[in-house]
Amino acid sequence: MKKIKVKIVSDENIDLIKKAIYNQKIIFDDDTNTFFIEEETQKQIINIKLISGNALIRCDLINSIESFDHEINIYGDEKYKTRTPLKDILPLLSNDFIQINQSVIINIKKIKKVLSSLNQTYTIFLEDNSKYTVTRSFFKSFNEKMGI
């Protein structure tokens, strides 16, 4: 049997995890807060603390992430709710994501159409028919990311 190298990244329970691995007392269960994620996969899947627990979410299934009144909605194949601020979520995401205004991050691979508006703004339509505005503060970074 091939041995697998594992690096444990944990704020707590690191000794308990090491002991469980050493004693082979690992139980594989989808309903857990402990995950082993391959390094290559790290930017493809995000681990988000939801209002109702934790979730591993595939980045390629996320269309947009929207903040409203301290609640963050992640839209994709499903809708997820979290209180994790956008500024903390953005670094977890792959390079396919960009913040387009104070309260929205989008997956650029899900863009269906971009319409130029007045005053250095864009209106973005995503594949799921959602509509967002790139505000003037994010106009330059959006242009750079999209090669415009």
Side-chain angles (χ1 to χ4, degrees), residues 49-77:
K49 183 177 181 177
L50 303 175
I51 293 170
S52 61
N54 279 22
L56 287 177
I57 306 170
R58 284 183 34 199
C59 289
D60 63 328
L61 298 179
I62 298 172
N63 296 318
S64 60
I65 304 169
E66 197 172 337
S67 172
F68 181 74
D69 196 28
H70 301 291
E71 188 170 276
I72 310 297
N73 292 311
I74 301 172
Y75 298 102
D77 64 328

Side-chain angles (χ1 to χ4, degrees), residues 108-121:
I108 62 173
K109 289 193 171 185
K110 303 290 184 170
I111 294 174
K112 184 166 66 172
K113 184 169 40 170
V114 178
L115 296 177
S116 182
S117 301
L118 299 173
N119 301 325
Q120 292 187 323
T121 63

Side-chain angles (χ1 to χ4, degrees), residues 6-24:
V6 176
K7 176 181 179 182
I8 301 170
V9 181
S10 176
D11 292 335
E12 51 191 65
N13 299 327
I14 196 160
D15 291 330
L16 183 65
I17 294 168
K18 283 182 180 179
K19 190 174 181 180
I21 292 170
Y22 181 75
N23 293 327
Q24 299 176 12

